[in-house]
């Protein structure tokens, strides 16, 4: 069993490396974009009159309602909500929701940056961005609608989990649950058009990709969960997978925040997987106390939240500080050219990047290999901010499922 597991893990990683090499050499992203982008752009322009017609009925109440609804189904909201779900005792649901969000976020942002299709032009469309997160979202490309895609997948999986967990046989309950999920998706989809964030073609693409992704996830989710909890090279495989996914991400026509979002949630997925794999039998097994049970009353759960939230915020700050210190040092030692535009303000870059100051033979050799890799990937240097962000969120997620539950055990929570 372990031999077959190691075989498919190796094949998966080799396949990704092969894809990275082929897509870079053959310029597959640019070729696919040249075929799809013009058609999508025409659909976006053609959909502007419909958006303007909808926006004729705008008012303050609807602005607040759809802006608030978009925030509730955004990735930052899920990121804040998932720790509470882990600490409630529903470990399987929390694991699956985390990995599903990470997968949807990666898939959706990949497609956005491959196609690089514009959002509806503003003006004439009025774009409502009530939060900083929405302002950042507006800087991304349009197709598909990530909010629509994520809502389809997460509401669908949550409905599946609830019906399976409580084993409802009443058909009316299933119908009402399905209708409620559909209503939420419809409101989110309409709201994205109303707010001027997406055109109809973006929504249709989000719906289609979301349905296909949900169907795939419902097919493989049990196998993924069994793998995470099986102790079969989980941490090493997932670390290698996460690292390769950073390189497999397509290059957009122009820089957008999409890559930053995927990097953060890929780090979250790695932290969750490694933490759960190490502590599954202690804190995350199916027999763990669940909220509202005698073993975990509401008062004890509130105690968990009061201990857990400050702890994970502290770990996030410490992880970021350590990464900002360690990564530049390691890069400099290995002769890896790096750059930073956000996290390390004192890092001054020349045309060759940072990290080639030493003249020892070892550094020269390592610098030569790293420069060849940079040239192959069409980069003069590597963005150190990517590594910092990745480690920061990996540390945060690890603390949610490993460090904080250990504190709960210590404080009898």
């Amino acid at each position: 069993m372990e031999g077959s597991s190691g075989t498919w893990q190796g094949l998966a990683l080799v396949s990704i490396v092969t894809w990275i090499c082929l897509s870079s050499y053959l310029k597959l992203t640019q070729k696919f974009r040249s075929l799809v982008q013009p058609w999508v752009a025409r659909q976006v322009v053609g959909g502007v009159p419909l958006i303007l017609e909808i926006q004729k009925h705008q008012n303050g109440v609807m602005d607040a309602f759809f802006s608030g609804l978009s925030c509730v189904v955004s990735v930052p909201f899920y990121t804040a909500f998932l720790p509470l779900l882990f600490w409630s005792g529903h470990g399987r649901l929390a694991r699956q929701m985390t990995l599903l969000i990470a997968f949807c976020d990666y898939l959706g942002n990949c497609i956005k940056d491959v196609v690089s299709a514009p959002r509806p032009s503003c003006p004439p469309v009025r774009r409502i961005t009530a939060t900083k997160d929405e302002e950042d979202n507006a800087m991304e490309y349009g197709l598909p609608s990530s909010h629509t895609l994520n809502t389809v997948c997460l509401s669908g999986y949550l409905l599946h989990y609830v019906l399976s967990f409580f084993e409802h046989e009443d058909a009316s309950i299933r119908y009402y649950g399905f209708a409620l999920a559909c209503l939420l998706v419809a409101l989110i989809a309409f709201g994205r058009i109303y707010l001027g964030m997406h055109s109809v073609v973006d929504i249709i693409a989000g719906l289609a990709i979301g349905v296909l992704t949900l169907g795939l996830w419902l097919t493989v989710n049990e196998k993924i969960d069994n793998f995470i909890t099986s102790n079969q090279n989980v941490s090493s495989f997932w670390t290698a997978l996460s690292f390769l996914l950073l390189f497999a991400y397509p290059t957009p026509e122009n820089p957008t925040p999409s890559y930053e979002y995927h990097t953060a949630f890929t780090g979250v997925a790695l932290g969750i997987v490694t933490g759960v794999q190490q502590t599954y039998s202690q804190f995350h097994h199916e027999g763990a106390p669940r909220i509202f049970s005698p073993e975990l009353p509401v008062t004890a759960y509130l105690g968990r939240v009061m201990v857990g939230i400050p702890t994970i915020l502290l770990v996030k700050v410490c992880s970021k500080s350590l990464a900002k210190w360690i990564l530049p040092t390691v890069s400099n030692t290995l002769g890896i050219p790096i750059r930073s535009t956000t996290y390390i303000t004192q890092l001054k870059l020349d045309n060759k990047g940072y990290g080639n100051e030493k003249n020892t033979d070892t550094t020269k050799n390592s610098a030569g290999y790293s420069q060849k890799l940079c040239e192959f990937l069409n980069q003069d240097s590597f963005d150190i901010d990517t590594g910092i962000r990745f480690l920061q969120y990996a540390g945060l997620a690890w603390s949610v499922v490993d460090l904080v539950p250990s504190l709960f055990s210590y404080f009898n929570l």
Side-chain angles (χ1 to χ4, degrees):
M1 183 66 180
E2 291 187 4
S4 62
S5 176
T7 300
W8 75 256
Q9 291 174 30
L11 288 175
L13 297 179
V14 170
S15 298
I16 296 175
V17 172
T18 303
W19 167 254
I20 293 173
C21 296
L22 287 177
S23 62
S24 178
Y25 180 75
L26 299 176
K27 300 185 183 302
L28 297 181
T29 297
Q30 293 86 341
K31 292 179 180 178
F32 183 80
R33 181 184 299 145
S34 65
L35 295 174
V36 178
Q37 186 191 64
W39 181 84
V40 177
R42 289 195 298 269
Q43 301 305 310
V44 173
V45 173
V48 168
L50 175 61
I51 300 174
L52 295 176
E53 186 65 28
I54 292 174
Q55 291 189 336
K56 287 181 180 179
H57 306 284
Q58 283 182 334
N59 58 67
V61 175
M62 292 180 66
D63 289 356
F65 174 75
F66 286 117
S67 295
L69 195 60
S70 293
C71 291
V72 169
V73 297
S74 64
V75 171
F77 174 82
Y78 292 131
T79 305
F81 170 73
L82 287 172
L84 306 182
L85 192 57
F86 272 106
W87 302 335
S88 71
H90 291 275
R92 180 182 177 85
L93 174 62
R95 290 193 298 273
Q96 289 298 314
M97 293 281 278
T98 301
L99 296 180
L100 181 54
I101 294 173
F103 182 71
C104 290
D105 188 64
Y106 188 87
L107 178 63
N109 287 337
C110 276
I111 297 174
K112 281 178 186 286
D113 284 352
V114 166
V115 179
S116 294
R119 291 178 183 267
S121 180
C122 174
V125 170
R126 177 187 174 220
R127 185 167 296 151
I128 303 172
T129 54
T131 64
K132 178 63 167 62
D133 180 58
E134 281 288 79
E135 292 176 2
D136 292 340
N137 288 337
M139 298 171 61
E140 297 181 291
Y141 289 110
L143 184 140
S145 167
S146 296
H147 281 70
T148 305
L149 190 162
N150 293 342
T151 304
V152 169
C153 290
L154 296 176
S155 62
Y157 183 80
L158 182 60
L159 176 63
H160 166 76
Y161 178 86
V162 170
L163 293 177
S164 301
F165 182 78
F166 292 103
E167 298 181 348
H168 286 298
E169 299 294 337
D170 191 345
S172 62
I173 295 178
R174 295 179 179 271
Y175 292 145
Y176 288 135
F178 181 75
L180 184 61
C182 290
L183 176 62
L184 177 61
V185 171
L187 287 174
I188 292 298
F190 180 80
R192 301 311 286 170
I193 297 176
Y194 174 89
L195 296 173
M197 296 294 290
H198 286 287
S199 60
V200 174
V201 68
D202 302 335
I203 300 300
I204 294 174
L207 286 171
I209 297 170
V211 170
L212 292 175
T213 303
L214 177 61
L216 172 65
W217 197 263
L218 292 178
T219 303
V220 303
N221 74 96
E222 290 187 5
K223 295 179 180 178
I224 293 175
D225 202 65
N226 291 336
F227 168 70
I228 293 173
T229 59
S230 67
N231 299 320
Q232 295 177 353
N233 305 320
V234 177
S235 297
S236 57
F237 169 75
W238 212 277
T239 300
L241 176 65
S242 301
F243 180 77
L244 290 177
L245 288 178
L246 296 177
F247 287 94
Y249 192 87
T251 302
E253 193 171 52
N254 295 299
T256 72
S258 297
Y259 185 70
E260 299 177 8
Y261 299 154
H262 123 71
T263 299
F265 233 97
T266 301
V268 167
L270 175 62
I272 293 297
V273 169
T274 54
V276 167
Q277 190 267 332
Q278 294 170 358
T279 61
Y280 176 74
S281 60
Q282 296 172 270
F283 307 122
H284 305 290
H285 54 87
E286 290 302 306
R290 292 191 170 99
I291 190 173
F292 303 126
S293 67
E295 295 82 10
L296 185 58
V298 175
T299 53
Y301 178 71
L302 293 177
R304 288 186 170 193
V305 173
M306 294 178 65
V307 170
I309 295 298
T311 302
I312 64 174
L313 293 178
L314 178 61
V315 170
K316 182 181 178 181
V317 172
C318 293
S319 299
K320 181 178 179 179
S321 299
L322 285 173
K324 288 172 65 176
W325 173 64
I326 293 174
L327 290 181
T329 302
V330 173
S331 299
N332 187 28
T333 302
L334 298 177
I336 299 175
I338 60 174
R339 64 184 185 276
S340 174
T341 57
T342 304
Y343 289 132
I344 307 178
T345 56
Q346 70 270 24
L347 186 60
K348 304 298 182 181
L349 302 178
D350 56 23
N351 292 332
K352 295 181 180 179
Y354 172 83
N356 294 321
E357 295 86 348
K358 296 187 177 181
N359 294 319
T360 63
D361 293 338
T362 302
T363 302
K364 285 183 178 180
N365 290 335
S366 61
Y369 293 132
S370 63
Q371 287 172 350
K372 289 179 181 178
L373 179 60
C374 289
E375 291 173 1
F376 177 75
L377 296 174
N378 298 319
Q379 298 187 58
D380 295 327
S381 58
F382 290 105
D383 187 359
I384 198 69
D385 295 346
T386 299
I388 294 172
R389 187 177 296 109
F390 178 78
L391 293 179
Q392 175 187 5
Y393 281 91
L396 168 67
W398 166 82
S399 68
V400 169
V401 295
D402 193 332
L403 176 62
V404 171
S406 298
L407 294 178
F408 295 161
S409 180
Y410 179 79
F411 291 115
N412 294 320
L413 294 173

